[in-house]
Amino acid sequence: MRSTLFDASNQEKQTQERWVLQSSKMLRCALQPQSPEIIAAQGVMVAYQGQMDFSYQGSGGGMKLLKKMTTGEGGNLMRVRGQGEVFFARRADEIFLIQLEGDALTLNTRNLLAFDSSIQWDIRGTGGAGFMAGGLFNLFLQGQGLVAVTSDGPPMLLDCSQQPTYVDPQAAVCWSANLTPQIKNDFKMGSLIGRGSGESFQLGFHGPGFVVVQPSEGAPVTTAS
């Protein structure tokens, strides 16, 4: 049997590294019983080899549980443990690895793929936002370890230190944890009758730091009827 499908570039990468990009759109994570577990978004596992256990990632109780119940954020996480390799991907989005070295990052939960369980996480609100804004609550990550984020297309890194920067809430992938975005409301009556831009809310960033923007508002969120 012959096919370019069997080329070496399509075969599993043989490496001793714990986290490695199998391709720009698929992440391979190696797990051992003694290694830290991985916390991932539910539904992003596409394959695994060996013995793996997938379980619901609880909130840990207290205020974090209350935030999850009231916002829905951080509620769709799973904990992965075992021995072997597990592969993560989401809608063929681009994947990027971020090494946290005691610092912190704020992440749009729609762009979360996975992170080391050694990293502390919490749910943070966006100041001055109403529920109509979307992207209202986000995931705050801090500590030592790797984070995998996704971008629906090639991302753009914007410097927010020189001038105010405004981003569609669904297009914002992640940003410096020291930045506190504010909601900018451009809603006008014309938006109701077809003459508005359709972009009523933006996240406003200004200060020393960055924001990563994807060239898409991502896949639409569907709810069961």
Side-chain angles (χ1 to χ4, degrees):
M1 188 180 296
R2 290 184 297 174
S3 171
T4 56
L5 181 64
F6 305 122
D7 287 353
S9 60
N10 294 327
Q11 297 176 18
E12 178 187 353
K13 291 187 177 179
Q14 301 300 321
T15 175
Q16 298 300 314
E17 295 184 44
R18 173 172 157 84
W19 296 66
V20 65
L21 290 177
Q22 176 69 25
S23 70
S24 64
K25 303 176 185 297
M26 186 178 295
L27 173 66
R28 172 190 184 271
C29 293
L31 284 171
Q32 298 293 333
Q34 69 276 12
S35 63
E37 298 169 349
I38 290 173
I39 298 176
Q42 290 184 11
V44 300
M45 188 277 293
V46 295
Y48 70 90
Q49 295 177 307
Q51 300 296 322
M52 293 289 163
D53 178 68
F54 302 89
S55 59
Y56 172 72
Q57 166 58 42
S59 65
M63 286 301 297
K64 194 181 293 184
L65 173 61
L66 179 61
K67 292 175 185 177
K68 288 177 67 173
M69 292 174 62
T70 56
T71 68
E73 293 294 335
N76 298 317
L77 299 177
M78 63 180 179
R79 184 173 288 265
V80 186
R81 61 176 65 88
Q83 183 168 4
E85 299 81 38
V86 59
F87 300 86
F88 299 114
R90 178 193 284 119
R91 300 188 308 270
D93 286 353
E94 303 284 336
I95 300 173
F96 297 88
L97 298 179
I98 302 173
Q99 176 74 54
L100 293 185
E101 299 174 328
D103 40 10
L105 180 74
T106 304
L107 175 66
N108 187 333
T109 51
R110 295 179 64 182
N111 297 89
L112 170 68
L113 194 68
F115 60 91
D116 277 321
S117 61
S118 56
I119 294 175
Q120 298 177 343
W121 64 277
D122 196 8
I123 300 162
R124 297 286 175 90
T126 299
F131 279 98
M132 292 177 62
L136 176 61
F137 293 90
N138 302 283
L139 204 60
F140 175 83
L141 303 173
Q142 185 175 30
Q144 298 277 351
L146 273 166
V147 181
V149 302
T150 63
S151 175
D152 187 10
M156 175 176 60
L157 180 69
L158 293 177
D159 180 1
C160 305
S161 63
Q162 301 302 312
Q163 58 185 341
T165 302
Y166 300 97
V167 180
D168 184 295
Q170 307 305 326
V173 174
C174 60
W175 55 89
S176 300
N178 61 287
L179 294 178
T180 302
Q182 299 296 316
I183 292 295
K184 184 174 186 291
N185 184 356
D186 282 343
F187 182 79
K188 298 179 177 63
M189 186 58 68
S191 298
L192 297 177
I193 54 179
R195 294 200 298 268
S197 68
E199 303 294 342
S200 298
F201 295 93
Q202 298 90 43
L203 294 178
F205 301 88
H206 193 197
F210 66 86
V211 59
V212 176
V213 184
Q214 64 184 11
S216 165
E217 293 184 352
V221 177
T222 58
T223 57
S225 59

